[in-house]
Amino acid sequence: MTIRKIFTLSLILSFLSVFIFNVSAQGPSNFKKNTIKGKVIDNELEVPLEYATISVQNTEDPSDITGGITNAEGEFSVEVKDGIYNIIVEFISYETREYKNRAVRNDLDLGVIKLGLGSENLDEVVVRAETTQVDIRLDKKIYNIGKDLTTAGGTVSDALNNVPSISVDIEGGISLRGNQNVRILINGKPSAMAGFGSTDVLSQLPAEAIERVEVITSPSARYDAEGTAGIINIILRKKETLGFNGSVSLNAGIPENASISTNLNYRTDKYNLFTTTGYRYSESPGYAYFDTRYFEPREDGFLGDIAYDRNIEDRDYDRINRGFNTNVGLEWYLSDMSSITGSVFYRIGDDRDITLNVNDYLIGNQELLGTNRMETENEDDESVQFSLNYMKKFDNKGHELTADFQYEIDSETQDAFIEEPVLYNNTDIEAVRVPSESTITLEDQKEYLLQVDYVRPIGEESQFEAGYRGNFENEVTDYKLFQENVDGDFILNESQTNIFDYSENVQAIYTQYGTKFGDFSFLLGLRLENTNLKGEIDSELTEAELQEEFSFDINTDFDNNYLGLFPTLNLIYELGEEENITLGYNRRINRPRGWYINPFPSRSSRNNIFQGNPNLNPAFSNAFDLGYLKRWEKLTLTSSVYYQRETDAFQRVSEEVMISGPSGQDIEVIRSIPFNLATNDRMGAELGFLYNPADWLRLNGSVNLFQFKLDGEFNGVDYSQENSSWFGRFSSKVTLPAKIDWQTNLYYRGPSDEIQGTQDGILNVDLAFSKEILNEKATISLNVRDIFNGRKRSSTTTTEFFNQESEFQWRQGQSVNIAFIYRFNQKKQRQERRGGGEDFEEGEF
């Protein structure tokens, strides 16, 4: 089915849902109308609660449900016919007020209804603001994405880049506290939305789909032990408001991009139907530059007898990304204490990339030969995920059982054609000709997930939890390389063509216990996890030929098991009502992904390639985290210091190697390849603040300083080193006249020393303006990203064979985007408490 047909069908279903709801909501008109009214306020501050939900259900006819929401003054008015009704007043994070079996024969005034904050089992601290909200729990920090103007019209990747402790590099790679060994989860589980371990899909999903982001630097035993840096858990929106509600978002910008997305929800007392659907088109021009100086002259088999000692590559990328995604789910309330939720996520992508790579070959400063390597790549991608969740509550105090099943399939087809005509030839050698190449890559992935979690409160202050998770993933990559021979025919390069079948199966059981006594709370857990990594390389080469081709011994057929215990401990000590200290310890594992293991090299460049290593073993780490939080009336500070020791850490090493051409030519290239290189000791500190000096001004920022020490060697070369770096972000939001909001975001990552060179600092500055229109039912915003064009990576690499200076920019130049979001029957973000400051409340683990 084409994208256009699917998109059209989705729109038809959406409009049909609206029509059905409107018809059912109108109902018969020949009955006496009575009015139920009242006013909802905060019981402590006695301020109105805008957008509180009022649900009214006829006890004699349960299908007769109506309701409404409060206005800016906290007032509501609902019309009903004569009857007996259950009336429910709800507001997020507050206790629910119920009026049961109320006879309504005339107008009913409920008066002033005071709601208090909901109470839970164990301590947490919540910092509320109109922008991002910070929720600190025993094992995580939760950032509720608020009214962040710079992410309007953006993607999930854009939103993550504004969350403290998280940074997204220019290629979309996500790191936590400067460490890229991070696990990405969607709604607490690995997901096709996260691209089966890749982050490409996160640059396609709209930022508006996020409800909150959980930054888990000290994961409890409940979570998968994957990711030595920790876990980033992205929770997507699933509205719970009775009736039909949602939002529509339209976006357009320069470089050319456009998108449309909808978040729809329809809830009754029996079920909740929800969907997020969107289509996105974007163009992303980029560039890369490599200047490589070799310490000794070298020859390339494709270039005849030309000897050169310098190669300059100047690349231009022209990317076109088209993607459609939809997530449709239904939560069925079997009873007041149990429910089943099913959902289907579907995504298709149609991308086209054109790369122009101009190569200059020199001896000294004399230009010998110039070529233009042109690569045209088409990629079609399709993902489907089926999820089923069952939840059974045994009481209203947290005693519950949940079970999840998830099945995902993903198929991807890539075809590329590469040609490299000669631009100039200043040598005496006439028969210089670089052969063309054609590649076809087929990738098929399947993944099963089964998870069961049981939670049992013990008394008022303690909780026991246990569970099982099984995750079974298989990925088959079928890669074919065709190269032009001296006769102009395309023949199969058997030394590079292969089928790589890779499986990662992880099973785990866990248990944890938490309790609170006085001002002290702790959560202690233990996870037993078995990792099974299996791989099989199907190649025309013999095993001996493979060893020679890749210049190191590799396992062409491996089946490895790793059984480990992963203890966790998290503590909170309340120094006062507005001050606490946290301490966390956990043991983690970093499993190599498929592309890090596949030994057949990439073809984006003939001179610079990446190659996986099937000999990689998982890395293990032990981490400690000590945090402190203090709040004043208008200022909140969060801080932490951390230490991590990782063994068998992955590091990428660049070296010169020879690979084979189609007619037996030897081609000397610079290969980047990962190894279990070193022990990595990483330590750091971070400080964050939220400051609201006035109603019209909000400031927040964070800084993270870290140092790592590597100890290891490879091929007789000592790669031990110490390195320090830092990154920081600052955001200010100002309310201008006419209620126009102006937000500025600044991010800077400091320079750093790498194991074979250095990397320069990166600066990124975004601006955004926003205004509520149409009686605050809609928002229009304008944002400019990377206004100083500083989001680029500049680095220097030095080995015993060469020195290379490089610069890379994934998206070249500034981007401008305008977004329009329309909301209907939907709550706004919860307003601030305590006169615009932050708010602290109690909650569960």
Side-chain angles (χ1 to χ4, degrees):
M1 184 179 292
T2 65
I3 294 177
R4 180 177 298 177
K5 290 180 179 179
I6 295 173
F7 186 63
T8 302
L9 178 59
S10 299
L11 286 179
I12 292 173
L13 291 174
S14 299
F15 287 124
L16 182 59
S17 299
V18 176
F19 173 78
I20 293 173
F21 170 75
N22 288 335
V23 171
S24 62
Q26 292 173 4
S29 59
N30 56 345
F31 59 80
K32 176 188 173 184
K33 293 183 178 180
N34 304 306
T35 300
I36 301 175
K37 64 180 182 178
K39 182 175 182 178
V40 183
I41 66 172
D42 183 295
N43 71 337
E44 292 182 3
L45 306 179
E46 296 190 350
V47 296
L49 295 179
E50 184 183 4
Y51 288 92
T53 303
I54 316 300
S55 306
V56 182
Q57 182 181 27
N58 192 327
T59 60
E60 300 170 349
D61 181 8
S63 64
D64 180 11
I65 301 175
T66 186
I69 56 177
T70 57
N71 60 20
E73 303 301 323
E75 300 171 344
F76 66 89
S77 177
V78 180
E79 291 186 343
V80 297
K81 62 183 178 180
D82 289 351
I84 299 176
Y85 293 89
N86 290 330
I87 305 168
I88 302 174
V89 182
E90 298 175 287
F91 192 68
I92 187 170
S93 298
Y94 283 76
E95 294 176 341
T96 299
R97 177 67 62 86
E98 296 186 22
Y99 300 86
K100 293 189 175 181
N101 299 317
R102 285 296 184 99
V104 180
R105 308 299 179 189
N106 297 293
D107 292 346
L108 175 62
D109 187 354
L110 295 176
V112 177
I113 303 170
K114 296 182 179 182
L115 299 185
L117 289 172
S119 60
E120 305 289 347
N121 297 344
L122 299 173
D123 281 350
E124 70 180 79
V125 179
V126 181
V127 183
R128 303 263 183 211
E130 186 179 359
T131 53
T132 302
Q133 303 171 2
V134 186
D135 174 350
I136 299 177
R137 301 193 180 184
L138 271 170
D139 60 344
K140 66 186 116 178
K141 295 179 182 177
I142 302 175
Y143 295 91
N144 295 293
I145 302 300
K147 195 178 178 182
D148 193 333
L149 310 184
T150 59
T151 65
T155 66
V156 169
S157 291
D158 297 322
L160 289 178
N161 209 34
N162 288 338
V163 174
S165 303
I166 299 176
S167 58
V168 182
D169 66 22
I170 56 178
E171 296 176 276
I174 299 173
S175 61
L176 182 59
R177 291 174 168 175
N179 189 345
Q180 289 195 348
N181 296 330
V182 60
R183 179 69 156 166
I184 307 295
L185 302 177
I186 303 290
N187 296 332
K189 297 179 276 296
S191 173
M193 300 184 198
F196 295 94
S198 168
T199 58
D200 295 341
V201 183
L202 301 183
S203 63
Q204 300 290 328
L205 293 175
E208 291 81 7
I210 298 179
E211 178 175 309
R212 65 182 185 271
V213 177
E214 298 180 350
V215 178
I216 311 173
T217 54
S218 183
S220 69
R222 167 189 275 256
Y223 295 99
D224 184 3
E226 167 75 17
T228 55
I231 295 171
I232 298 174
N233 186 22
I234 302 169
I235 307 297
L236 302 183
R237 295 185 185 276
K238 185 183 72 173
K239 296 295 182 180
E240 295 290 346
T241 308
L242 281 174
F244 184 75
N245 61 87
S247 64
V248 179
S249 176
L250 302 172
N251 305 279
I254 300 173
E256 286 77 3
N257 75 86
S259 66
I260 179 173
S261 63
T262 61
N263 289 286
L264 303 176
N265 183 86
Y266 178 60
R267 181 186 175 188
T268 71
D269 63 328
K270 290 295 185 182
Y271 63 87
N272 182 48
L273 178 64
F274 55 91
T275 179
T276 298
T277 301
Y279 175 79
R280 186 176 187 88
Y281 172 90
S282 65
E283 297 183 12
S284 300
Y287 83 96
Y289 178 84
F290 301 88
D291 186 352
T292 307
R293 299 174 185 264
Y294 302 94
F295 300 141
E296 298 290 340
R298 66 202 298 268
E299 294 183 358
D300 189 323
F302 281 144
L303 301 179
D305 296 326
I306 296 176
Y308 60 94
D309 62 6
R310 185 181 180 188
N311 170 233
I312 298 176
E313 292 188 49
D314 193 351
R315 301 183 198 170
D316 285 313
Y317 301 96
D318 187 8
R319 306 182 187 89
I320 298 177
N321 300 312
R322 294 165 289 226
F324 169 84
N325 64 81
T326 184
N327 184 42
V328 180
L330 175 67
E331 183 176 8
W332 188 268
Y333 307 111
L334 302 176
S335 67
D336 292 340
M337 308 297 286
S338 62
S339 67
I340 293 179
T341 303
S343 65
V344 178
F345 172 76
Y346 178 73
R347 176 179 62 88
I348 52 175
D350 180 12
D351 302 338
R352 179 181 174 87
D353 297 345
I354 299 176
T355 304
L356 301 179
N357 189 1
V358 177
N359 282 272
D360 293 293
Y361 299 90
L362 304 88
I363 187 78
N365 292 320
Q366 178 185 355
E367 294 182 341
L368 301 177
L369 181 74
T371 66
N372 187 8
R373 182 181 176 89
M374 296 180 290
E375 179 179 2
T376 302
E377 181 182 78
N378 298 293
E379 179 179 320
D380 295 320
D381 187 12
E382 183 176 29
S383 298
V384 182
Q385 172 187 293
F386 302 92
S387 300
L388 190 64
N389 167 268
Y390 171 75
M391 181 182 68
K392 169 64 177 178
K393 292 184 178 181
F394 300 97
D395 55 34
N396 290 318
K397 297 181 180 180
H399 185 195
E400 65 180 32
L401 173 71
T402 59
D404 292 274
F405 173 77
Q406 189 170 285
Y407 172 63
E408 309 172 12
I409 54 175
D410 180 274
S411 62
E412 184 177 288
T413 302
Q414 296 179 350
D415 63 83
F417 182 76
I418 305 169
E419 55 183 337
E420 192 168 355
V422 174
L423 297 177
Y424 64 87
N425 181 7
N426 297 328
T427 71
D428 296 331
I429 302 174
E430 298 181 359
V432 173
R433 185 173 183 275
V434 181
S436 298
E437 299 178 348
S438 176
T439 65
I440 299 175
T441 305
L442 305 177
E443 293 185 6
D444 290 299
Q445 303 181 37
K446 295 181 180 180
E447 186 168 355
Y448 299 87
L449 172 71
L450 178 62
Q451 180 172 333
V452 180
D453 298 290
Y454 174 74
V455 181
R456 176 65 185 265
I458 302 174
E460 295 294 327
E461 306 289 356
S462 301
Q463 182 171 290
F464 168 80
E465 184 174 347
Y468 163 84
R469 172 184 278 190
N471 203 81
F472 310 93
E473 179 181 355
N474 176 255
E475 176 183 341
V476 179
T477 303
D478 187 348
Y479 175 79
K480 291 182 173 63
L481 170 64
F482 298 89
Q483 291 178 304
E484 189 180 14
N485 63 13
V486 293
D487 298 323
D489 298 324
F490 282 86
I491 62 174
L492 185 70
N493 185 329
E494 295 182 350
S495 67
Q496 302 298 322
T497 293
N498 68 97
I499 299 177
F500 183 53
D501 190 333
Y502 177 67
S503 296
E504 177 183 295
N505 302 320
V506 181
Q507 297 191 73
I509 56 174
Y510 79 93
T511 183
Q512 61 184 17
Y513 173 77
T515 190
K516 175 186 177 183
F517 42 91
D519 295 327
F520 181 77
S521 304
F522 77 84
L523 181 61
L524 175 66
L526 183 64
R527 187 178 187 91
L528 175 65
E529 194 167 271
N530 180 75
T531 298
N532 174 232
L533 304 180
K534 300 173 61 176
E536 181 179 355
I537 300 172
D538 184 1
S539 171
E540 294 294 328
L541 299 180
T542 65
E543 185 165 344
E545 291 172 327
L546 281 170
Q547 312 292 354
E548 181 179 357
E549 179 69 26
F550 300 123
S551 70
F552 63 94
D553 292 337
I554 65 172
N555 295 322
T556 59
D557 189 356
F558 58 89
D559 187 352
N560 301 323
N561 282 278
Y562 306 90
L563 181 67
L565 285 172
F566 299 90
T568 63
L569 175 63
N570 291 284
L571 311 170
I572 285 183
Y573 180 69
E574 299 291 341
L575 298 174
E577 183 180 352
E578 300 171 347
E579 186 178 16
N580 71 63
I581 294 176
T582 59
L583 175 65
Y585 161 77
N586 62 87
R587 185 171 188 257
R588 310 286 296 163
I589 183 174
N590 184 25
R591 308 182 191 98
R593 306 301 298 177
W595 71 283
Y596 247 48
I597 290 182
N598 192 338
F600 292 89
S602 65
R603 305 299 299 177
S604 58
S605 167
R606 192 163 51 81
N607 302 300
N608 297 274
I609 66 173
F610 173 82
Q611 182 177 354
N613 179 2
N615 296 341
L616 279 183
N617 294 319
F620 294 88
S621 73
N622 290 277
F624 300 85
D625 189 294
L626 177 65
Y628 172 75
L629 180 142
K630 173 67 175 176
R631 191 200 74 151
W632 293 269
E633 182 179 357
K634 295 183 178 181
L635 174 66
T636 298
L637 291 179
T638 59
S639 62
S640 66
V641 292
Y642 53 90
Y643 170 77
Q644 178 190 77
R645 182 176 180 84
E646 183 178 3
T647 57
D648 283 335
F650 306 157
Q651 291 291 325
R652 289 167 63 165
V653 175
S654 294
E655 56 183 359
E656 280 192 313
V657 297
M658 306 296 295
I659 63 174
S660 300
S663 301
Q665 309 100 321
D666 287 333
I667 309 170
E668 194 170 11
V669 299
I670 297 174
R671 175 181 67 181
S672 176
I673 187 169
F675 286 93
N676 293 108
L677 183 66
T679 297
N680 187 355
D681 291 298
R682 177 181 291 265
M683 63 192 71
E686 60 182 353
L687 175 68
F689 73 90
L690 293 171
Y691 182 45
N692 298 337
D695 291 341
W696 55 271
L697 177 62
R698 293 179 177 86
L699 307 173
N700 71 75
S702 64
V703 62
N704 192 304
L705 299 92
F706 57 90
Q707 179 185 56
F708 65 83
K709 180 181 179 181
L710 294 175
D711 183 12
E713 67 173 26
F714 173 70
N715 279 348
V717 179
D718 186 4
Y719 290 100
S720 301
Q721 73 163 126
E722 293 187 29
N723 177 35
S724 298
S725 188
W726 67 282
F727 67 89
R729 50 171 48 89
F730 173 79
S731 176
S732 68
K733 184 178 177 185
V734 179
T735 301
L736 302 173
K739 295 184 178 180
I740 297 175
D741 290 328
W742 167 26
Q743 184 172 328
T744 303
N745 281 7
L746 183 149
Y747 171 83
Y748 180 75
R749 181 184 177 98
S752 62
D753 294 326
E754 308 299 324
I755 63 172
Q756 291 180 302
T758 61
Q759 183 169 302
D760 295 343
I762 297 175
L763 173 67
N764 184 70
V765 179
D766 300 334
L767 292 178
F769 298 88
S770 174
K771 180 172 176 56
E772 301 291 324
I773 59 176
L774 303 180
N775 294 324
E776 298 191 349
K777 292 182 178 179
T779 303
I780 187 169
S781 63
L782 173 71
N783 62 61
V784 183
R785 298 190 179 100
D786 196 14
I787 62 174
F788 296 120
N789 194 28
R791 193 171 170 81
K792 61 183 69 173
R793 184 183 64 225
S794 300
S795 59
T796 300
T797 302
T798 301
T799 73
E800 61 179 315
F801 303 107
F802 63 88
N803 179 79
Q804 183 182 83
E805 295 182 356
S806 64
E807 186 171 274
F808 179 79
Q809 191 169 26
W810 182 258
R811 185 177 60 193
Q812 188 173 358
Q814 301 83 0
S815 64
V816 181
N817 191 82
I818 187 169
F820 174 79
I821 302 175
Y822 180 77
R823 300 173 294 272
F824 51 93
N825 301 336
Q826 189 177 106
K827 300 176 186 176
K828 291 173 59 180
Q829 291 280 42
R830 173 182 170 182
Q831 73 274 1
E832 302 159 28
R833 292 168 49 84
R834 303 191 182 184
E838 291 79 30
D839 157 46
F840 293 79
E841 65 183 50
E842 298 294 313
E844 61 180 4
F845 278 114

